[in-house]
Amino acid sequence: MGDRWHIEVDRSVCIGSGMCVGHAPDSFDLDSARQSHARSTTADAGERLLAAAENCPVEAITLTLADSGETVFPPEE
């Protein structure tokens, strides 16, 4: 069984670029105010989901391991 990631979108930071939807359309939607939200709070770990977080122009998406809370993205400095 693979890792599961917890997905969080900081809607106070989101600018509605839609990059997340473009990279992971099964994981994100934009609402009527063009704010991103995850379709589910957890998902299977995967390249598309990571690409969505990495390509968010304002780093509004945080991914953590669902079982431990360890940060996947953004990288800790």
Side-chain angles (χ1 to χ4, degrees), residues 1-58:
M1 184 173 194
D3 286 335
R4 300 269 303 160
W5 289 345
H6 174 77
I7 308 164
E8 187 173 329
V9 178
D10 185 340
R11 294 169 62 89
S12 69
V13 175
C14 177
I15 61 170
S17 73
M19 295 296 290
C20 56
V21 176
H23 284 281
D26 293 339
S27 298
F28 296 94
D29 283 316
L30 294 181
D31 64 18
S32 61
R34 292 204 45 85
Q35 293 288 292
S36 175
H37 64 275
R39 289 185 171 195
S40 177
T41 58
T42 60
D44 290 333
E47 290 299 316
R48 292 178 144 233
L49 190 53
L50 183 58
E54 289 176 334
N55 287 285
C56 176
V58 294

